[in-house]
Amino acid sequence: MIALLILPLLLPFALPPLARRALDRLAPAVALRAITGSAVVLAACSLAALGAFVLTGLLKLPFFAALGDLIRPLHTASDRYVLPLAAVSVGGLAVCAWTLARSVLRQVRAFRAARTEAGRGPAAGDLCVVDSPCADAYALPGRPHRIVVTTGMLRSLDGSEREALFAHERAHNAGGHHYFLAVAELAAHCHPALRGVRDVIRLAAERAAD
């Protein structure tokens, strides 16, 4: 049983190289969906494995021992590995929850700040111009979707380049790429091996928008 629960914790390490290979061989939009879906499945399996380790550890405590007869697949007579693995799993789940909460708060604050900044500048349709010497542009999801571009970026591009930039950012919003990026961020906090997949998903989103 322990070996079966360790397997879902090892499989995510195989995904980063496979994801990069898929990105090179598949169409960008297909690769984006396939890699993101794989990351979600592996993240869920790793969390389930950690939860199962915690449950097996709880079954060793007198208060929960009576439940062992009700959950035969998780029953084990060995305390040698179960209790240490349960303790490590509790720590792993706590770290996942803490880092994920911090990431969510950071992302929410950044999103609110971006919406506020976009609302201050002039707008033409979905295009918002921010006065800044830095060359930057990004798609801003929400209701309504926005495309934010700095004056520094506009000055550095000619007419055709600006249109290509606007089309690229609109493709991000139209394709709902922010959802894929959010899922990638979530998966990255569920297993350390999936942090590398997060970067591949970001690149896949950029290629899909192109």
Side-chain angles (χ1 to χ4, degrees), residues 132-168:
S132 173
C134 299
D136 193 14
Y138 53 89
L140 187 60
R143 294 185 178 180
H145 292 321
R146 298 292 189 192
I147 298 172
V148 181
V149 60
T150 63
T151 53
M153 176 64 82
L154 292 176
R155 294 191 190 102
S156 66
L157 302 176
D158 59 28
S160 60
E161 291 172 334
R162 290 179 184 178
E163 291 302 321
L165 173 66
F166 299 157
H168 176 87

mmCIF file of all heavy atoms in Angstrom, residues 132-168:
data_model
loop_
_atom_site.group_PDB
_atom_site.id
_atom_site.type_symbol
_atom_site.label_atom_id
_atom_site.label_comp_id
_atom_site.label_asym_id
_atom_site.label_seq_id
_atom_site.Cartn_x
_atom_site.Cartn_y
_atom_site.Cartn_z
ATOM 1 N N SER A 132 3.990 55.461 -18.610
ATOM 2 C CA SER A 132 5.186 54.898 -17.995
ATOM 3 C C SER A 132 6.278 54.789 -19.049
ATOM 4 O O SER A 132 6.005 54.409 -20.190
ATOM 5 C CB SER A 132 4.903 53.508 -17.405
ATOM 6 O OG SER A 132 6.096 52.892 -16.958
ATOM 7 N N PRO A 133 7.526 55.111 -18.689
ATOM 8 C CA PRO A 133 8.623 54.981 -19.662
ATOM 9 C C PRO A 133 9.000 53.533 -19.934
ATOM 10 O O PRO A 133 9.694 53.251 -20.913
ATOM 11 C CB PRO A 133 9.773 55.744 -18.990
ATOM 12 C CG PRO A 133 9.486 55.647 -17.517
ATOM 13 C CD PRO A 133 7.984 55.680 -17.402
ATOM 14 N N CYS A 134 8.571 52.615 -19.075
ATOM 15 C CA CYS A 134 8.891 51.196 -19.265
ATOM 16 C C CYS A 134 8.057 50.617 -20.409
ATOM 17 O O CYS A 134 6.863 50.917 -20.520
ATOM 18 C CB CYS A 134 8.618 50.418 -17.988
ATOM 19 S SG CYS A 134 9.606 50.950 -16.564
ATOM 20 N N ALA A 135 8.689 49.804 -21.229
ATOM 21 C CA ALA A 135 7.976 49.147 -22.324
ATOM 22 C C ALA A 135 7.295 47.896 -21.779
ATOM 23 O O ALA A 135 7.963 46.914 -21.450
ATOM 24 C CB ALA A 135 8.938 48.796 -23.446
ATOM 25 N N ASP A 136 5.976 47.952 -21.683
ATOM 26 C CA ASP A 136 5.250 46.815 -21.118
ATOM 27 C C ASP A 136 3.844 46.768 -21.706
ATOM 28 O O ASP A 136 3.268 47.801 -22.068
ATOM 29 C CB ASP A 136 5.170 46.940 -19.590
ATOM 30 C CG ASP A 136 4.721 45.644 -18.932
ATOM 31 O OD1 ASP A 136 4.736 44.596 -19.608
ATOM 32 O OD2 ASP A 136 4.356 45.676 -17.741
ATOM 33 N N ALA A 137 3.311 45.567 -21.787
ATOM 34 C CA ALA A 137 1.940 45.366 -22.248
ATOM 35 C C ALA A 137 1.461 44.031 -21.720
ATOM 36 O O ALA A 137 2.236 43.077 -21.635
ATOM 37 C CB ALA A 137 1.856 45.396 -23.776
ATOM 38 N N TYR A 138 0.195 43.964 -21.362
ATOM 39 C CA TYR A 138 -0.342 42.708 -20.838
ATOM 40 C C TYR A 138 -1.858 42.704 -20.967
ATOM 41 O O TYR A 138 -2.509 43.759 -21.055
ATOM 42 C CB TYR A 138 0.061 42.483 -19.373
ATOM 43 C CG TYR A 138 -0.256 43.631 -18.447
ATOM 44 C CD1 TYR A 138 -1.486 43.726 -17.802
ATOM 45 C CD2 TYR A 138 0.692 44.627 -18.201
ATOM 46 C CE1 TYR A 138 -1.774 44.775 -16.941
ATOM 47 C CE2 TYR A 138 0.417 45.679 -17.355
ATOM 48 C CZ TYR A 138 -0.814 45.743 -16.723
ATOM 49 O OH TYR A 138 -1.092 46.789 -15.874
ATOM 50 N N ALA A 139 -2.393 41.476 -21.000
ATOM 51 C CA ALA A 139 -3.840 41.290 -21.024
ATOM 52 C C ALA A 139 -4.343 41.271 -19.589
ATOM 53 O O ALA A 139 -3.749 40.625 -18.714
ATOM 54 C CB ALA A 139 -4.189 39.981 -21.729
ATOM 55 N N LEU A 140 -5.430 41.971 -19.339
ATOM 56 C CA LEU A 140 -5.984 42.079 -17.992
ATOM 57 C C LEU A 140 -7.389 41.483 -18.005
ATOM 58 O O LEU A 140 -8.328 42.084 -18.536
ATOM 59 C CB LEU A 140 -6.027 43.547 -17.558
ATOM 60 C CG LEU A 140 -6.427 43.834 -16.118
ATOM 61 C CD1 LEU A 140 -5.466 43.165 -15.151
ATOM 62 C CD2 LEU A 140 -6.458 45.335 -15.865
ATOM 63 N N PRO A 141 -7.559 40.283 -17.446
ATOM 64 C CA PRO A 141 -8.890 39.662 -17.435
ATOM 65 C C PRO A 141 -9.835 40.384 -16.491
ATOM 66 O O PRO A 141 -9.427 41.205 -15.670
ATOM 67 C CB PRO A 141 -8.600 38.238 -16.949
ATOM 68 C CG PRO A 141 -7.372 38.375 -16.123
ATOM 69 C CD PRO A 141 -6.555 39.447 -16.781
ATOM 70 N N GLY A 142 -11.096 40.067 -16.608
ATOM 71 C CA GLY A 142 -12.109 40.701 -15.768
ATOM 72 C C GLY A 142 -13.306 41.093 -16.613
ATOM 73 O O GLY A 142 -13.438 40.693 -17.766
ATOM 74 N N ARG A 143 -14.176 41.876 -16.015
ATOM 75 C CA ARG A 143 -15.355 42.350 -16.732
ATOM 76 C C ARG A 143 -15.348 43.874 -16.741
ATOM 77 O O ARG A 143 -15.584 44.503 -15.724
ATOM 78 C CB ARG A 143 -16.628 41.824 -16.057
ATOM 79 C CG ARG A 143 -16.770 40.313 -16.155
ATOM 80 C CD ARG A 143 -18.087 39.870 -15.581
ATOM 81 N NE ARG A 143 -18.261 38.419 -15.713
ATOM 82 C CZ ARG A 143 -19.336 37.762 -15.279
ATOM 83 N NH1 ARG A 143 -20.338 38.432 -14.690
ATOM 84 N NH2 ARG A 143 -19.421 36.454 -15.432
ATOM 85 N N PRO A 144 -15.079 44.471 -17.906
ATOM 86 C CA PRO A 144 -14.704 43.819 -19.178
ATOM 87 C C PRO A 144 -13.214 43.502 -19.222
ATOM 88 O O PRO A 144 -12.442 43.993 -18.409
ATOM 89 C CB PRO A 144 -15.070 44.882 -20.198
ATOM 90 C CG PRO A 144 -14.800 46.171 -19.478
ATOM 91 C CD PRO A 144 -15.190 45.924 -18.047
ATOM 92 N N HIS A 145 -12.829 42.661 -20.208
ATOM 93 C CA HIS A 145 -11.412 42.405 -20.437
ATOM 94 C C HIS A 145 -10.736 43.695 -20.884
ATOM 95 O O HIS A 145 -11.332 44.522 -21.580
ATOM 96 C CB HIS A 145 -11.219 41.341 -21.521
ATOM 97 C CG HIS A 145 -11.676 39.975 -21.098
ATOM 98 N ND1 HIS A 145 -11.481 39.483 -19.832
ATOM 99 C CD2 HIS A 145 -12.293 38.989 -21.797
ATOM 100 C CE1 HIS A 145 -11.961 38.261 -19.747
ATOM 101 N NE2 HIS A 145 -12.471 37.933 -20.928
ATOM 102 N N ARG A 146 -9.479 43.837 -20.488
ATOM 103 C CA ARG A 146 -8.706 45.009 -20.879
ATOM 104 C C ARG A 146 -7.367 44.595 -21.465
ATOM 105 O O ARG A 146 -6.841 43.524 -21.165
ATOM 106 C CB ARG A 146 -8.450 45.916 -19.667
ATOM 107 C CG ARG A 146 -9.700 46.494 -19.021
ATOM 108 C CD ARG A 146 -10.383 47.474 -19.930
ATOM 109 N NE ARG A 146 -11.462 48.192 -19.235
ATOM 110 C CZ ARG A 146 -12.363 48.933 -19.858
ATOM 111 N NH1 ARG A 146 -12.324 49.059 -21.177
ATOM 112 N NH2 ARG A 146 -13.303 49.546 -19.170
ATOM 113 N N ILE A 147 -6.823 45.465 -22.291
ATOM 114 C CA ILE A 147 -5.446 45.349 -22.756
ATOM 115 C C ILE A 147 -4.719 46.584 -22.244
ATOM 116 O O ILE A 147 -5.120 47.717 -22.543
ATOM 117 C CB ILE A 147 -5.358 45.289 -24.287
ATOM 118 C CG1 ILE A 147 -6.089 44.056 -24.801
ATOM 119 C CG2 ILE A 147 -3.909 45.279 -24.750
ATOM 120 C CD1 ILE A 147 -6.217 44.031 -26.302
ATOM 121 N N VAL A 148 -3.697 46.387 -21.452
ATOM 122 C CA VAL A 148 -2.947 47.490 -20.861
ATOM 123 C C VAL A 148 -1.607 47.603 -21.568
ATOM 124 O O VAL A 148 -0.881 46.618 -21.719
ATOM 125 C CB VAL A 148 -2.739 47.268 -19.348
ATOM 126 C CG1 VAL A 148 -1.971 48.449 -18.744
ATOM 127 C CG2 VAL A 148 -4.072 47.094 -18.641
ATOM 128 N N VAL A 149 -1.283 48.812 -21.995
ATOM 129 C CA VAL A 149 -0.017 49.061 -22.681
ATOM 130 C C VAL A 149 0.544 50.384 -22.163
ATOM 131 O O VAL A 149 -0.207 51.330 -21.908
ATOM 132 C CB VAL A 149 -0.205 49.093 -24.209
ATOM 133 C CG1 VAL A 149 -1.177 50.184 -24.620
ATOM 134 C CG2 VAL A 149 1.125 49.269 -24.915
ATOM 135 N N THR A 150 1.835 50.435 -21.981
ATOM 136 C CA THR A 150 2.461 51.654 -21.492
ATOM 137 C C THR A 150 2.817 52.576 -22.657
ATOM 138 O O THR A 150 2.969 52.133 -23.802
ATOM 139 C CB THR A 150 3.729 51.336 -20.692
ATOM 140 O OG1 THR A 150 4.689 50.703 -21.555
ATOM 141 C CG2 THR A 150 3.419 50.410 -19.520
ATOM 142 N N THR A 151 2.971 53.852 -22.328
ATOM 143 C CA THR A 151 3.378 54.820 -23.351
ATOM 144 C C THR A 151 4.785 54.494 -23.863
ATOM 145 O O THR A 151 5.099 54.724 -25.030
ATOM 146 C CB THR A 151 3.341 56.241 -22.778
ATOM 147 O OG1 THR A 151 4.114 56.291 -21.558
ATOM 148 C CG2 THR A 151 1.914 56.663 -22.465
ATOM 149 N N GLY A 152 5.626 53.945 -22.981
ATOM 150 C CA GLY A 152 6.961 53.550 -23.420
ATOM 151 C C GLY A 152 6.915 52.469 -24.471
ATOM 152 O O GLY A 152 7.699 52.480 -25.427
ATOM 153 N N MET A 153 5.985 51.521 -24.323
ATOM 154 C CA MET A 153 5.844 50.468 -25.329
ATOM 155 C C MET A 153 5.320 51.038 -26.634
ATOM 156 O O MET A 153 5.808 50.670 -27.718
ATOM 157 C CB MET A 153 4.897 49.385 -24.807
ATOM 158 C CG MET A 153 4.598 48.277 -25.808
ATOM 159 S SD MET A 153 6.060 47.312 -26.251
ATOM 160 C CE MET A 153 6.105 46.172 -24.853
ATOM 161 N N LEU A 154 4.344 51.922 -26.564
ATOM 162 C CA LEU A 154 3.779 52.498 -27.788
ATOM 163 C C LEU A 154 4.817 53.283 -28.566
ATOM 164 O O LEU A 154 4.835 53.259 -29.799
ATOM 165 C CB LEU A 154 2.596 53.402 -27.428
ATOM 166 C CG LEU A 154 1.353 52.697 -26.870
ATOM 167 C CD1 LEU A 154 0.292 53.722 -26.473
ATOM 168 C CD2 LEU A 154 0.777 51.713 -27.878
ATOM 169 N N ARG A 155 5.688 53.990 -27.861
ATOM 170 C CA ARG A 155 6.719 54.781 -28.537
ATOM 171 C C ARG A 155 7.752 53.898 -29.232
ATOM 172 O O ARG A 155 8.379 54.321 -30.204
ATOM 173 C CB ARG A 155 7.421 55.697 -27.534
ATOM 174 C CG ARG A 155 6.541 56.775 -26.934
ATOM 175 C CD ARG A 155 7.377 57.792 -26.169
ATOM 176 N NE ARG A 155 6.529 58.696 -25.396
ATOM 177 C CZ ARG A 155 6.331 58.608 -24.085
ATOM 178 N NH1 ARG A 155 6.931 57.629 -23.388
ATOM 179 N NH2 ARG A 155 5.549 59.455 -23.449
ATOM 180 N N SER A 156 7.932 52.681 -28.726
ATOM 181 C CA SER A 156 8.969 51.800 -29.283
ATOM 182 C C SER A 156 8.492 50.990 -30.481
ATOM 183 O O SER A 156 9.296 50.286 -31.106
ATOM 184 C CB SER A 156 9.470 50.842 -28.192
ATOM 185 O OG SER A 156 8.442 49.949 -27.796
ATOM 186 N N LEU A 157 7.209 51.078 -30.828
ATOM 187 C CA LEU A 157 6.652 50.268 -31.909
ATOM 188 C C LEU A 157 6.092 51.153 -33.007
ATOM 189 O O LEU A 157 5.597 52.262 -32.749
ATOM 190 C CB LEU A 157 5.527 49.371 -31.360
ATOM 191 C CG LEU A 157 5.890 48.412 -30.218
ATOM 192 C CD1 LEU A 157 4.633 47.688 -29.750
ATOM 193 C CD2 LEU A 157 6.959 47.424 -30.650
ATOM 194 N N ASP A 158 6.128 50.616 -34.235
ATOM 195 C CA ASP A 158 5.456 51.314 -35.331
ATOM 196 C C ASP A 158 4.017 50.822 -35.431
ATOM 197 O O ASP A 158 3.565 50.012 -34.618
ATOM 198 C CB ASP A 158 6.209 51.120 -36.649
ATOM 199 C CG ASP A 158 6.325 49.643 -37.045
ATOM 200 O OD1 ASP A 158 5.444 48.840 -36.667
ATOM 201 O OD2 ASP A 158 7.298 49.295 -37.745
ATOM 202 N N GLY A 159 3.290 51.288 -36.410
ATOM 203 C CA GLY A 159 1.866 50.983 -36.517
ATOM 204 C C GLY A 159 1.557 49.503 -36.619
ATOM 205 O O GLY A 159 0.701 48.971 -35.913
ATOM 206 N N SER A 160 2.261 48.800 -37.526
ATOM 207 C CA SER A 160 1.986 47.373 -37.706
ATOM 208 C C SER A 160 2.387 46.565 -36.479
ATOM 209 O O SER A 160 1.717 45.591 -36.112
ATOM 210 C CB SER A 160 2.744 46.859 -38.938
ATOM 211 O OG SER A 160 4.144 47.042 -38.787
ATOM 212 N N GLU A 161 3.459 46.957 -35.808
ATOM 213 C CA GLU A 161 3.888 46.258 -34.600
ATOM 214 C C GLU A 161 2.889 46.453 -33.469
ATOM 215 O O GLU A 161 2.636 45.535 -32.680
ATOM 216 C CB GLU A 161 5.274 46.748 -34.179
ATOM 217 C CG GLU A 161 6.386 46.324 -35.126
ATOM 218 C CD GLU A 161 7.720 46.970 -34.798
ATOM 219 O OE1 GLU A 161 7.701 48.065 -34.193
ATOM 220 O OE2 GLU A 161 8.771 46.394 -35.151
ATOM 221 N N ARG A 162 2.310 47.638 -33.400
ATOM 222 C CA ARG A 162 1.285 47.878 -32.379
ATOM 223 C C ARG A 162 0.071 46.992 -32.609
ATOM 224 O O ARG A 162 -0.471 46.410 -31.677
ATOM 225 C CB ARG A 162 0.863 49.353 -32.405
ATOM 226 C CG ARG A 162 1.918 50.324 -31.902
ATOM 227 C CD ARG A 162 1.413 51.749 -32.004
ATOM 228 N NE ARG A 162 2.433 52.714 -31.612
ATOM 229 C CZ ARG A 162 2.273 54.027 -31.644
ATOM 230 N NH1 ARG A 162 1.115 54.527 -32.092
ATOM 231 N NH2 ARG A 162 3.243 54.836 -31.269
ATOM 232 N N GLU A 163 -0.353 46.877 -33.859
ATOM 233 C CA GLU A 163 -1.511 46.039 -34.158
ATOM 234 C C GLU A 163 -1.229 44.575 -33.817
ATOM 235 O O GLU A 163 -2.103 43.865 -33.308
ATOM 236 C CB GLU A 163 -1.886 46.170 -35.639
ATOM 237 C CG GLU A 163 -2.460 47.538 -36.012
ATOM 238 C CD GLU A 163 -3.692 47.874 -35.203
ATOM 239 O OE1 GLU A 163 -4.516 46.959 -34.945
ATOM 240 O OE2 GLU A 163 -3.846 49.048 -34.819
ATOM 241 N N ALA A 164 -0.004 44.125 -34.091
ATOM 242 C CA ALA A 164 0.359 42.745 -33.755
ATOM 243 C C ALA A 164 0.349 42.544 -32.241
ATOM 244 O O ALA A 164 -0.099 41.502 -31.744
ATOM 245 C CB ALA A 164 1.739 42.417 -34.328
ATOM 246 N N LEU A 165 0.838 43.551 -31.516
ATOM 247 C CA LEU A 165 0.837 43.473 -30.054
ATOM 248 C C LEU A 165 -0.588 43.415 -29.508
ATOM 249 O O LEU A 165 -0.905 42.592 -28.643
ATOM 250 C CB LEU A 165 1.572 44.680 -29.472
ATOM 251 C CG LEU A 165 1.522 44.825 -27.949
ATOM 252 C CD1 LEU A 165 2.266 43.681 -27.269
ATOM 253 C CD2 LEU A 165 2.113 46.169 -27.520
ATOM 254 N N PHE A 166 -1.451 44.288 -30.018
ATOM 255 C CA PHE A 166 -2.847 44.298 -29.545
ATOM 256 C C PHE A 166 -3.542 42.964 -29.839
ATOM 257 O O PHE A 166 -4.287 42.442 -29.011
ATOM 258 C CB PHE A 166 -3.619 45.442 -30.204
ATOM 259 C CG PHE A 166 -3.058 46.807 -29.903
ATOM 260 C CD1 PHE A 166 -3.304 47.878 -30.760
ATOM 261 C CD2 PHE A 166 -2.288 47.026 -28.775
ATOM 262 C CE1 PHE A 166 -2.798 49.140 -30.493
ATOM 263 C CE2 PHE A 166 -1.771 48.292 -28.495
ATOM 264 C CZ PHE A 166 -2.017 49.349 -29.367
ATOM 265 N N ALA A 167 -3.292 42.427 -31.033
ATOM 266 C CA ALA A 167 -3.898 41.141 -31.400
ATOM 267 C C ALA A 167 -3.404 40.024 -30.484
ATOM 268 O O ALA A 167 -4.183 39.140 -30.090
ATOM 269 C CB ALA A 167 -3.577 40.818 -32.860
ATOM 270 N N HIS A 168 -2.127 40.062 -30.133
ATOM 271 C CA HIS A 168 -1.553 39.049 -29.246
ATOM 272 C C HIS A 168 -2.226 39.096 -27.870
ATOM 273 O O HIS A 168 -2.630 38.061 -27.324
ATOM 274 C CB HIS A 168 -0.051 39.281 -29.109
ATOM 275 C CG HIS A 168 0.617 38.357 -28.137
ATOM 276 N ND1 HIS A 168 1.092 37.118 -28.497
ATOM 277 C CD2 HIS A 168 0.882 38.491 -26.804
ATOM 278 C CE1 HIS A 168 1.626 36.532 -27.443
ATOM 279 N NE2 HIS A 168 1.518 37.336 -26.395
#
